[in-house]
Amino acid sequence: MTINKAYTFFAQYYDEIMSTVPYAEWVDYLETLLKKIDYHPKTVLDLGCGTGNVAFLLAKRGYEVHGIDGSLDMVEVAMEKASAENGEISFNQDDFRKFRIKEPVDLVISLFDSLNYLLTEDDLNKAFQQVYDALTPHGYFIFDLNTIKRLNSIEEGNSAVEGEDYYCFWKDRVEPEGPYWKIELIFFVEQADGSLFREDEIHIERAYPISTVKELLQKSGFEDIDIFEGFTLNLGSEESERIYIIAKKGD
């Protein structure tokens, strides 16, 4: 048994276990937000691209897309999929707090609470600064976050997923003082001789007050910050469970 960082062993089963995620609806909503601000980007960086599902959809809609993820294992899956589809999307593993890209992009996105994995305000601040530097003048940053209300409303408990040759036990734990959401994944994978191999993986998310997020964005130079309740055009607040934030690169 070994203990891994998030999205290592899980990567090879991610698309199967998360097959019900409505990626196309996410992209539809993203384009609704772009229409709302009357912005028409050509180049997009998907920060926290995972196995590339959103990136592939954006590419099919005509955007030039580059993907970055903190997990090398997830990036390798995305690259395999790109190769199979003869896709031209580039994927790279990099640290959200330190990443660099060759050319600035018109839009940076970060979805599926990827930034909740940054567990300190300093880490979040560093990521915002890197995003700012990665944008073209007056470019936009659009990202989502799980809110404090969302994390505090998660019910602790266990669930299980059974695949063709594996079992995955999913344990949810909440630490309100963060608040932190801790997910323990325990995989048992059937081997050729019928034995089971065990692999454990831990995921931790943290939620931040909206005021803190706005303050860090402004500190990095962003302006015209709008906050929406997830998948609506309603004003987002601490009573929302998921928020989408739009921030414009300042002068």
Side-chain angles (χ1 to χ4, degrees), residues 9 13 165-166 187-198:
F9 190 79
Y13 301 106
D165 63 347
Y166 70 89
F187 285 91
F188 289 96
V189 182
E190 187 174 349
Q191 305 299 291
D193 62 1
S195 64
L196 293 176
F197 169 75
R198 174 172 172 168

Side-chain angles (χ1 to χ4, degrees), residues 100-226:
R100 291 286 191 273
I101 57 177
K102 293 181 180 179
E103 297 291 338
V105 294
D106 302 325
L107 174 68
V108 176
I109 64 170
S110 189
L111 308 180
F112 211 3
D113 36 280
S114 294
L115 295 179
N116 285 107
Y117 279 82
L118 298 173
L119 302 182
T120 69
E121 290 184 18
D122 183 58
D123 286 344
L124 193 61
N125 181 53
K126 288 177 179 176
F128 288 166
Q129 291 174 351
Q130 296 306 112
V131 170
Y132 188 91
D133 290 343
L135 286 167
T136 54
H138 309 296
Y140 278 88
F141 180 27
I142 300 179
F143 63 100
D144 70 8
L145 288 170
N146 275 328
T147 62
I148 292 174
K149 178 180 180 179
R150 164 60 179 154
L151 265 58
N152 282 334
S153 68
I154 291 171
E155 294 186 7
E156 295 192 342
N158 305 326
S159 58
V161 178
E162 180 178 353
E164 184 176 345
D165 63 347
Y166 70 89
Y167 303 90
C168 175
F169 296 92
W170 183 302
K171 298 181 179 181
D172 288 308
R173 301 290 183 265
V174 177
E175 299 176 6
E177 65 273 13
Y180 297 99
W181 175 22
K182 183 177 181 180
I183 303 168
E184 299 177 31
L185 299 179
I186 303 174
F187 285 91
F188 289 96
V189 182
E190 187 174 349
Q191 305 299 291
D193 62 1
S195 64
L196 293 176
F197 169 75
R198 174 172 172 168
E199 191 84 11
D200 291 25
E201 187 168 305
I202 296 175
H203 297 237
I204 302 174
E205 290 193 15
R206 179 184 175 184
Y208 295 89
I210 292 175
S211 59
T212 297
V213 178
K214 289 183 66 175
E215 180 181 342
L216 293 177
L217 285 167
Q218 291 167 340
K219 181 179 178 181
S220 297
F222 287 100
E223 56 187 31
D224 296 341
I225 299 169
D226 292 314

Side-chain angles (χ1 to χ4, degrees), residues 69-88:
D69 199 88
S71 164
L72 178 60
D73 299 84
M74 295 287 272
V75 166
E76 288 177 343
V77 173
M79 292 172 67
E80 289 174 5
K81 290 159 66 174
S83 178
E85 296 185 13
N86 295 316
E88 297 182 356

